[in-house]
Amino acid sequence: MHTQPITPQDRPTGVNLPMHPPIKPSMPWRVVTVRPMADFKIHVCFVDGTQGEVDMSPLVHSPAAGVFARLANPAVFAQVGIEHGAVTWLGEIDLAPDAMYDEIKCHGTWVLR
């Protein structure tokens, strides 16, 4: 797959390859920045400029937290990152970026329970 446009000078002689524009991630829910905050919250910014907070405190302290219970340790929670446009932590923990985007777009915040 080409990630750069094919220009006429790049084409091998006698080969008719289609010209395609470069691939650009365009899904508005792709997270581009994430910052951990106090009280088990994160601040996120999406590719379209939408930004807001995710409050994970109710979830990480819930008896039904499951894998998210690991994030109740502030040092682990602070290791938040981004992988393929999604908010992630070690141990294959991630958040659904499309659901996060929809809630933040509507309410400015997403509270996970």
Side-chain angles (χ1 to χ4, degrees), residues 10-97:
D10 294 331
R11 291 174 185 240
T13 306
V15 176
N16 290 323
L17 297 174
M19 292 186 60
H20 296 286
I23 297 171
K24 296 179 184 174
S26 61
M27 302 310 294
W29 46 258
R30 293 179 66 88
V31 177
V32 293
T33 63
V34 62
R35 178 174 42 90
M37 301 170 59
D39 301 322
F40 302 97
K41 295 179 184 176
I42 56 174
H43 183 270
V44 295
C45 183
F46 297 90
V47 72
D48 71 348
T50 299
Q51 53 185 309
E53 292 182 7
V54 178
D55 182 354
M56 297 186 63
S57 182
L59 175 62
V60 301
H61 294 106
S62 164
V67 298
F68 291 99
R70 289 186 240 159
L71 302 180
N73 176 332
V76 173
F77 187 83
Q79 295 176 7
V80 65
I82 301 171
E83 188 172 327
H84 304 294
V87 173
T88 63
W89 288 267
L90 294 175
E92 299 184 22
I93 299 172
D94 60 31
L95 300 178

